[in-house]
Amino acid sequence: MADKSSDLPLTRSSVKAAHEAIKEYIHCTPVVTSQTLNHLASQPQASEALIGTAFEGRRSASPKINLFFKCENYQRIGAFKSRGAFHALSRLSKEQLAKGVVTHSSGNHAQALALAARTHGVRAYIVMPTISTPSKISATRGYGAEVIFSGSTSQGREAMVKGVIERTGAFLIPPYDHPNIILGQGTMALELERQVHELVNRDASLSVYREESNHTDSKPTLNGTSNDESRSTPGRCPGHLDAVIAPLGGGGMLAGIATALSGTGTKVFGAEPSFEGADDGRRGLATNQRVTSVKTLTIADGLRTPVGVTNWTVINDNSKVQGVFAVTEEQILSAMKLVIERMKVFVEPSAVVGLAVCLYDEEFRKMVEEEGGEEGWDVGVILSGGNTTLEAVSGLFATGGKEAERAEGKLGKKGEKIAENVAG
């Protein structure tokens, strides 16, 4: 997808157009709430939890937070990636589709592109590292793709993709760093807007706001758009999200959500693991420079990639993304345990980093306390996927994440796994 001359601009209107193009192929995933997690998010942390942090010895924040979970683990192929893959294919000509599509991915994008290609009767070539997990290889093949194995390094994968393109003429669909992918991923935010409004209309107690304000005349329509595109930024009111927080890896999802919600008055935040430098987005924002390489074996394996070039232009725009926060492996596991046990929702570690920020990041919680005041904030949390196994989850909790095998690393000279960027 090197030629971007025919791509739609990164605007809310383009996200709406993307949703129209793909809505018959994707699920409108549910939005769920949890009074238990609202209560936990709205309680101050114990002073012991702040030991060793920058907030040690300070008063714990006591924000009021009501959470709305967008469950993309129920999306086709078990993760949000289907949105971007279907939209990317919708932007190709018949001539381009006839030659097939190719990508490099060891994760959810591989399965998403394979599914989208099969749906449209298009040949798909997926380059996967030899150390990709067997379940993901099997799932990708199950959708009809031709899997081509490569070495573990990014250079090896890219060389293999180049060879496929030269041999077949297939069109490259990158995992995250492209406008068409960004716009497709952003469609979840349009649905989230509408669904929250409908939920709060039916049950006002779901919102932190108890009284209607004079800004409720403009409501999202069924396709996630507003019935008044020229309106000013809406005020705080029932059914209008104060913020949305989403996981940040390569950045396609976060950039898409930020594009979709631009100008709506909803703040957008990213969430990352902090383990072994996986918080490249946060570090990049601190220095105003994109971090180009990430080598980490965080348990949130879907977030082991650096932010893409195109995605960085959105994420580094403070008018679109208001901040990025990072959480520890222990906090990710704790949030994951709560989602599985209390909400009965099966998710992968990468999916819960946003919730972990809401529960445990004092900087974020202090901000909500100060800006939300006594009313607080209604916060949308993206649960990005659920592509893991019972065995993997059991292993993480059996060892607290410290000794469990961290999937998909680079094989060292002695066969050991070491960190390596793993795309989408």
Side-chain angles (χ1 to χ4, degrees):
M1 298 180 74
D3 180 13
K4 300 183 180 182
S5 59
S6 61
D7 295 333
L8 297 171
L10 293 179
T11 63
R12 180 174 167 87
S13 294
S14 294
V15 179
K16 289 153 58 177
H19 194 254
E20 283 297 310
I22 69 173
K23 64 182 182 181
E24 66 178 295
Y25 304 113
I26 62 171
H27 297 322
C28 180
T29 53
V31 171
V32 301
T33 60
S34 169
Q35 292 300 314
T36 297
L37 291 186
N38 288 348
H39 175 74
L40 291 174
S42 300
Q43 294 298 308
Q45 295 191 81
S47 57
E48 292 80 4
L50 306 184
I51 294 176
T53 74
F55 293 87
E56 182 176 350
R58 303 187 195 179
R59 179 187 65 84
S60 297
S62 185
K64 171 65 175 174
I65 301 176
N66 278 18
L67 301 164
F68 296 83
F69 296 92
K70 179 66 168 167
C71 297
E72 285 293 290
N73 55 307
Y74 296 130
Q75 187 53 263
R76 298 185 72 180
I77 71 95
F80 73 96
K81 292 279 188 174
S82 296
R83 297 175 181 272
F86 273 105
H87 183 243
L89 260 65
S90 78
R91 299 295 299 166
L92 298 183
S93 67
K94 291 182 178 179
E95 292 75 19
Q96 290 170 323
L97 291 171
K99 295 179 180 180
V101 292
V102 62
T103 196
H104 52 89
S105 170
S106 62
N108 294 329
H109 179 67
Q111 298 170 61
L113 186 61
L115 171 63
R118 186 184 71 178
T119 301
H120 289 290
V122 175
R123 183 120 189 173
Y125 306 91
I126 311 295
V127 175
M128 304 184 76
T130 54
I131 60 171
S132 299
T133 54
S135 61
K136 292 179 180 179
I137 295 171
S138 177
T140 303
R141 283 176 167 161
Y143 290 121
E146 178 181 337
V147 174
I148 303 162
F149 292 108
S150 72
S152 301
T153 66
S154 57
Q155 295 90 339
R157 293 194 296 272
E158 290 166 4
M160 191 65 70
V161 167
K162 182 179 179 181
V164 171
I165 293 173
E166 291 174 349
R167 174 169 58 89
T168 67
F171 207 73
L172 174 62
I173 308 292
Y176 52 83
D177 196 12
H178 192 279
N180 290 338
I181 298 294
I182 294 170
L183 295 173
Q185 316 303 26
T187 59
M188 73 182 76
L190 300 181
E191 295 173 1
L192 176 60
E193 274 189 305
R194 172 181 59 81
Q195 289 168 299
V196 169
H197 191 275
E198 291 175 348
L199 284 170
V200 174
N201 260 358
R202 291 196 296 268
D203 183 357
S205 70
L206 296 175
S207 172
V208 296
Y209 306 109
R210 292 294 181 265
E211 295 182 2
E212 292 286 338
S213 75
N214 59 0
H215 295 280
T216 59
D217 55 328
S218 182
K219 301 178 176 63
T221 60
L222 288 178
N223 66 354
T225 66
S226 166
N227 57 15
D228 179 10
E229 287 294 322
S230 63
R231 76 190 190 281
S232 59
T233 300
R236 302 175 66 205
C237 58
H240 177 267
L241 287 169
D242 296 288
V244 171
I245 187 164
L248 173 57
M253 173 170 54
L254 183 60
I257 290 171
T259 299
L261 297 178
S262 180
T264 65
T266 297
K267 297 178 184 292
V268 176
F269 299 96
E272 299 176 301
S274 60
F275 186 73
E276 294 183 339
D279 58 337
D280 60 294
R282 180 177 67 166
R283 291 184 289 118
L285 291 177
T287 61
N288 197 35
Q289 185 171 358
R290 186 179 74 93
V291 176
T292 60
S293 178
V294 175
K295 294 186 177 181
T296 174
L297 287 179
T298 172
I299 58 172
D301 61 332
L303 308 179
R304 292 176 181 173
T305 54
V307 176
V309 175
T310 303
N311 305 329
W312 176 252
T313 64
V314 177
I315 294 167
N316 196 36
D317 182 346
N318 187 251
S319 70
K320 295 181 178 178
V321 175
Q322 281 69 50
V324 173
F325 300 88
V327 288
T328 67
E329 303 290 270
E330 292 75 18
Q331 290 168 340
I332 293 171
L333 280 174
S334 178
M336 187 177 178
K337 183 178 176 70
L338 286 169
V339 171
I340 293 174
E341 292 186 348
R342 306 309 292 267
M343 294 176 62
K344 317 304 179 187
V345 175
F346 191 75
V347 289
E348 60 190 271
S350 301
V352 301
V353 289
L355 172 61
V357 168
C358 294
L359 293 173
Y360 309 120
D361 189 283
E362 279 295 295
E363 183 181 354
F364 178 83
R365 291 168 57 79
K366 187 68 173 177
M367 176 186 63
V368 176
E369 182 181 38
E370 293 176 349
E371 296 189 19
E374 292 184 1
E375 284 185 311
W377 272 10
D378 286 337
V379 178
V381 177
I382 306 298
L383 299 179
S384 54
N387 281 336
T388 187
T389 64
L390 286 173
E391 292 78 10
V393 172
S394 298
L396 287 174
F397 287 109
T399 62
K402 295 179 181 179
E403 302 296 333
E405 181 177 0
R406 298 170 185 271
E408 297 171 353
K410 174 183 174 182
L411 289 181
K413 292 182 179 179
K414 297 181 181 180
E416 75 276 18
K417 286 187 177 181
I418 58 178
E420 168 65 23
N421 295 343
V422 178

